[in-house]
Amino acid sequence: MSLMNQCISAQQIIISMKDSIKEKIKKEIRLWSKDQLEPPNPEFNNLPVCPYAKKAWADKKVGFVFKTKLYENNIIYKFLEKWDDSKDLIIVVDMNFVEDTKEFHDNLDDINEDISENDFGDQDLWVMGFHPYQEVNELIDDGNFEGETEEEYALIFIQRLSKLEKASEKLISQGYYETYFDTYEVEQMYVLRKEYYRRLQNAWIEESRAS
């Protein structure tokens, strides 16, 4: 085998290994959703942690994209600029994440502010993330889930803001957030999201008046 063919063969093996890892991660996330997010949870008034996750998976409304470079926001920007509603949720698997949890979440906060200011041409979007080094949320993760891979990665979720808020309005009346607000500092995020939704509604009103 020539040196060039050996190099090509080695590259193909590396690509195949990377693809195999990505498939394992996708499988792991799907199993985690089934095991931790979709069953009724007494801490959420016997509602699932993510009440709409099961249907989204069943309807093939969840998409994946992998981020492999540090500070590679362009992958996120691409979806924000060209969101087509073919998926309800895009999961960005961040394989090369910022290790500092505050910096990671501050970056997402900045993106949400940019969305609200219409920098991407669509204010009806929201991003949020999970970092592997942040405190484990025991209401969501009971510690019994066994994954498919030893790979570390962060997760960034991209969704419609209006869908999240309409779902949230239904859930809050069912006691979904009571324990969550008391135990973890999520109320600030909830209030901020509502503020961005208010801005979105105002933008819709202004657009309607102008037409």
Side-chain angles (χ1 to χ4, degrees), residues 107-149:
N107 178 55
L108 299 184
D109 289 344
D110 289 343
I111 292 174
N112 279 322
E113 180 64 27
D114 291 341
I115 293 170
S116 182
E117 293 177 356
N118 206 27
D119 287 2
F120 303 102
D122 190 343
Q123 292 172 270
D124 189 13
L125 292 165
W126 176 261
V127 299
M128 63 175 291
F130 289 129
H131 193 286
Y133 300 161
Q134 69 190 50
E135 178 187 2
V136 174
N137 186 332
E138 295 177 357
L139 300 184
I140 295 176
D141 187 347
D142 62 13
N144 294 321
F145 177 72
E146 295 185 8
E148 296 286 313
T149 173

Side-chain angles (χ1 to χ4, degrees), residues 29-30 33 38 53-60 62 64 91:
I29 293 169
R30 180 67 192 101
S33 178
E38 297 170 32
K54 185 175 182 179
K55 186 176 188 306
W57 287 106
D59 293 344
K60 302 186 187 303
V62 180
F64 285 95
I91 300 175

Side-chain angles (χ1 to χ4, degrees), residues 1 4-20:
M1 183 183 293
M4 180 174 289
N5 285 339
Q6 287 178 352
C7 289
I8 292 172
S9 178
Q11 287 175 343
Q12 289 173 336
I13 291 171
I14 292 170
I15 291 171
S16 177
M17 289 174 63
K18 287 181 178 178
D19 288 344
S20 174

Side-chain angles (χ1 to χ4, degrees), residues 40-132:
N41 187 322
E43 300 290 353
F44 291 86
N45 203 20
N46 287 322
L47 292 166
V49 174
C50 291
Y52 305 101
K54 185 175 182 179
K55 186 176 188 306
W57 287 106
D59 293 344
K60 302 186 187 303
K61 285 288 191 175
V62 180
F64 285 95
V65 64
F66 284 79
K67 172 183 167 297
T68 58
K69 296 178 182 178
L70 195 63
Y71 302 113
E72 193 180 19
N73 278 345
N74 285 339
I75 284 181
I76 301 170
Y77 297 161
K78 181 183 75 171
F79 287 98
L80 298 178
E81 291 168 350
K82 297 182 178 179
W83 189 269
D84 61 6
D85 290 304
S86 60
K87 303 293 183 183
D88 286 341
L89 172 67
I90 293 294
I91 300 175
V92 180
V93 181
D94 191 347
M95 304 284 291
N96 194 352
F97 52 87
V98 175
E99 293 194 0
D100 184 85
T101 58
K102 184 178 185 302
E103 184 180 354
F104 174 81
H105 288 291
D106 283 349
N107 178 55
L108 299 184
D109 289 344
D110 289 343
I111 292 174
N112 279 322
E113 180 64 27
D114 291 341
I115 293 170
S116 182
E117 293 177 356
N118 206 27
D119 287 2
F120 303 102
D122 190 343
Q123 292 172 270
D124 189 13
L125 292 165
W126 176 261
V127 299
M128 63 175 291
F130 289 129
H131 193 286

Side-chain angles (χ1 to χ4, degrees), residues 176-194:
Y176 174 87
Y177 290 103
E178 289 177 4
T179 304
Y180 208 19
F181 282 173
D182 290 341
T183 310
Y184 291 92
E185 296 178 0
V186 296
E187 190 168 4
Q188 183 178 356
M189 183 196 72
Y190 175 83
V191 170
L192 181 63
R193 196 177 68 196
K194 289 195 78 66

